[in-house]
Amino acid sequence: TGDPALAIIDWLIEGAPAGIAMDIPSIGVCPDKEDDRQLTVAELEAIAQDHGNYDSLEDHPRKEEIMRDLMDPEKDWVRVCEDLEQTRAYLGGLDPIVSPLGVATKEVHDKQGTVTAVKDRLILDPKKSRSNHAARTRSRIVLPRCIDAVDGAIVVRCKAISDDLDVVGRLIWLVLDLGDAYWLVPLHPLERRFQVVRWKGRYLVCKRTGQGTKASSLTWSHVSAALARLLQSLFARDEA
């Protein structure tokens, strides 16, 4: 098979790069772009600070619940270290680069405008720690448009006609809404020192790609695109 996911499927076991310690490969899914690092790792280390979290987290009425969910050992999203010495030991003797953490809260409304649910999303801010300045992403994410769905449907129909398959009423539409999407992708151990936050004196080392980092949207795009192609392969050629 020549699927582009062959270049990135190991991320699900070994962890994805974040463009700092490891480059993100161009696999032909997203168009290339010019990009370079604004800081070296040595320069990043020289300006590193112990950044505190934003008020959106520290003053949040559900902060304890939010952080318990993040640190849930069954989810294995972060490694909780009690102090700097333990953190360095986990990171192979290297110092962590600490970024502040914040919360974006979104209300979900029904058709009558009534609030039916509230979603809290943790956002890492590597811009503050300058970790994003040491990252490089040489691919540009292109978001899907409505016309892309139309084009895709036409391609499937045309292929079905050329293969003498049924073209009436067979097209299947599937929409996926994945919760905690970024936290589903493992982060490579070499990149983890650049995605660290503090909470009540402890260090939380991210083991998954944190939302807010320069590369996490790109690596998630590669993984989600692979997921879409795998799902499509489960349907007949005239269905999806």
Side-chain angles (χ1 to χ4, degrees):
T1 175
D3 193 284
L6 287 174
I8 60 97
I9 201 65
D10 287 344
W11 292 356
L12 300 180
I13 299 174
E14 299 174 0
I20 302 178
M22 303 171 62
D23 282 324
I24 301 169
S26 174
I27 63 175
V29 172
C30 300
D32 293 336
K33 68 173 184 178
E34 292 294 327
D35 188 36
D36 211 346
R37 299 179 177 93
Q38 300 176 42
L39 291 174
T40 66
V41 171
E43 291 170 334
L44 178 63
E45 291 172 336
I47 61 174
Q49 300 179 36
D50 196 358
H51 293 283
N53 297 316
Y54 290 110
D55 292 343
S56 60
L57 172 61
E58 296 291 350
D59 297 339
H60 199 291
R62 293 183 298 278
K63 62 183 179 182
E64 298 296 340
E65 177 185 346
I66 292 171
M67 294 306 293
R68 268 198 310 271
D69 185 58
L70 174 66
M71 296 185 291
D72 185 347
E74 292 188 2
K75 291 185 174 181
D76 198 31
W77 287 355
V78 299
R79 173 64 176 259
V80 180
C81 299
E82 296 299 326
D83 52 34
L84 182 57
E85 182 180 358
Q86 192 177 102
T87 307
R88 285 171 175 158
Y90 177 70
L91 295 173
L94 299 173
D95 285 329
I97 306 297
V98 177
S99 296
L101 197 61
V103 176
T105 299
K106 178 181 178 181
E107 293 182 342
V108 180
H109 300 81
D110 60 18
K111 293 181 179 180
Q112 288 71 41
T114 304
V115 177
T116 57
V118 178
K119 295 183 178 179
D120 297 313
R121 181 175 298 170
L122 283 168
I123 307 293
L124 197 66
D125 186 9
K127 289 184 179 180
K128 185 76 172 180
S129 65
R130 306 290 294 277
S131 288
N132 274 1
H133 291 72
R136 177 166 57 190
T137 55
R138 289 184 167 176
S139 295
R140 177 170 53 88
I141 300 171
V142 179
L143 297 177
R145 303 165 298 172
C146 293
I147 192 64
D148 294 330
V150 177
D151 288 342
I154 293 173
V155 169
V156 172
R157 300 291 82 186
C158 290
K159 181 61 177 176
I161 292 173
S162 67
D163 292 344
D164 293 325
L165 299 173
D166 179 23
V167 296
V168 179
R170 293 273 304 211
L171 192 64
I172 296 176
W173 298 93
L174 178 64
V175 177
L176 296 178
D177 184 8
L178 299 177
D180 302 315
Y182 290 82
W183 296 104
L184 300 178
V185 182
L187 180 63
H188 196 280
L190 292 178
E191 301 281 13
R192 292 176 185 174
R193 64 177 297 221
F194 305 108
Q195 296 187 29
V196 180
V197 298
R198 297 293 304 277
W199 180 249
K200 293 188 173 180
R202 292 182 288 183
Y203 292 80
L204 311 184
V205 182
C206 292
K207 301 175 70 175
R208 308 297 178 96
T209 57
Q211 185 168 2
T213 64
K214 184 176 181 178
S216 58
S217 293
L218 177 59
T219 51
W220 167 245
S221 294
H222 286 330
V223 171
S224 60
L227 174 61
R229 295 192 300 275
L230 287 170
L231 284 173
Q232 188 175 18
S233 71
L234 300 177
F235 296 89
R237 285 180 295 169
D238 58 336
E239 291 179 329

